[in-house]
Amino acid sequence: GAVVSQHPSRVICKSGTSVKIECRSLDFQATTMFWYRQFPKQSLMLMATSNEGSKATYEQGVEKDKFLINHASLTLSTLTVTSAHPEDSSFYICSASRASSPLHFGNGTRLTVT
Amino acid sequence: DQQVKQNSPSLSVQEGRISILNCDYTNSMFDYFLWYKKYPAEGPTFLISISSIKDKNEDGRFTVFLNKSAKHLSLHIVPSQPGDSAVYFCAAKEETSGSRLTFGEGTQLTVNP
């Protein structure tokens, strides 16, 4: 069964509003979670590494003030897209690492900014 | 700079035949490689992996081959089944980077009945 739950699966918002996406690890604790973004027919691009209890580590070119990451507990990380614009429309996927096993991914969130 | 490349965006095979998906990488520090399968509107699911100390790993119908000198790996699926139709991503990481993965662009596999 699923080991990483992501919510919502789909969201449509107006330009200028903020959207929060949740990523939960089910029945295991994840000190580290990862947020990826995928454009159509392109690779999954790592946006940031979310660390429980500390600041996220952002990849080059990713605006930390626009993509706010909070990892307040060992089972929950949130990504907030602030002041969303149409170019932020994408498929966002989180993942979590379980000890001695490969990364598990959530089912992703399709964000559409109108 | 695309460090992991899957040069074939799509592949079509007949049911029962072999599917071969290819992946090349440029970063010589990568020492662990994974293949993920992804259906539309879902997250990737792990298929099979290989460490750089091996050149082959097999799991049922799936076999991954690694050629370190060529910086090339491939995923073989035999026999292919219609349910295997999905996008396949190659991913790589450095042992020291924890779980931080670098993905290829993906290859859409279609298995025709």
Side-chain angles (χ1 to χ4, degrees):
Chain A
V3 295
V4 175
S5 172
Q6 189 172 340
H7 179 81
S9 59
R10 186 181 297 268
V11 59
I12 300 172
C13 71
K14 289 184 186 268
S15 187
T17 61
S18 295
V19 173
K20 180 185 283 189
I21 304 169
E22 293 187 348
C23 180
R24 294 180 186 275
S25 58
L26 306 177
D27 71 38
F28 74 99
Q29 295 181 333
T31 54
T32 303
M33 292 185 177
F34 301 89
W35 287 95
Y36 289 84
R37 179 176 182 176
Q38 185 189 22
F39 290 105
K41 299 191 187 303
Q42 293 189 26
S43 179
L44 283 78
M45 300 300 298
L46 180 64
M47 298 174 65
T49 303
S50 172
N51 305 297
E52 188 270 334
S54 65
K55 291 183 178 180
T57 305
Y58 290 81
E59 296 299 305
Q60 191 173 10
V62 178
E63 299 175 59
K64 61 181 181 181
D65 294 329
K66 180 167 186 62
F67 299 99
L68 299 179
I69 291 173
N70 184 280
H71 195 154
S73 78
L74 286 170
T75 59
L76 173 65
S77 174
T78 60
L79 168 69
T80 302
V81 183
T82 63
S83 187
H85 289 284
E87 57 266 30
D88 297 325
S89 298
S90 189
F91 191 60
Y92 293 86
I93 312 175
C94 72
S95 65
S97 179
R98 194 172 190 174
S100 303
S101 68
L103 270 185
H104 294 279
F105 286 83
N107 275 339
T109 298
R110 170 68 61 192
L111 171 63
T112 303
V113 185
T114 61
Chain B
D1 175 30
Q2 190 69 26
Q3 297 185 60
V4 178
K5 287 193 69 63
Q6 293 175 255
N7 290 314
S8 298
S10 63
L11 174 68
S12 184
V13 300
Q14 282 300 119
E15 181 178 6
R17 307 294 283 267
I18 185 170
S19 296
I20 300 177
L21 299 113
N22 294 302
C23 177
D24 296 290
Y25 61 97
T26 57
N27 188 342
S28 58
M29 299 299 291
F30 287 146
D31 53 15
Y32 196 79
F33 305 88
L34 307 90
W35 284 94
Y36 282 83
K37 175 180 179 180
K38 184 181 181 299
Y39 293 113
E42 293 185 12
T45 55
F46 170 74
L47 263 183
I48 192 169
S49 62
I50 188 167
S51 164
S52 61
I53 62 173
K54 294 186 174 182
D55 54 19
K56 177 183 174 181
N57 189 26
E58 189 173 351
D59 183 3
R61 297 185 297 115
F62 303 91
T63 303
V64 56
F65 295 92
L66 175 62
N67 182 334
K68 282 180 292 183
S69 60
K71 293 192 179 67
H72 176 83
L73 63 154
S74 60
L75 174 68
H76 293 210
I77 306 172
V78 57
S80 301
Q81 299 172 355
D84 295 329
S85 298
V87 177
Y88 288 77
F89 287 97
C90 168
K93 76 181 193 79
E94 300 175 38
E95 191 64 36
T96 55
S97 69
S99 299
R100 188 174 178 278
L101 297 178
T102 300
F103 282 86
E105 305 94 325
T107 297
Q108 171 69 57
L109 173 66
T110 302
V111 180
N112 302 303

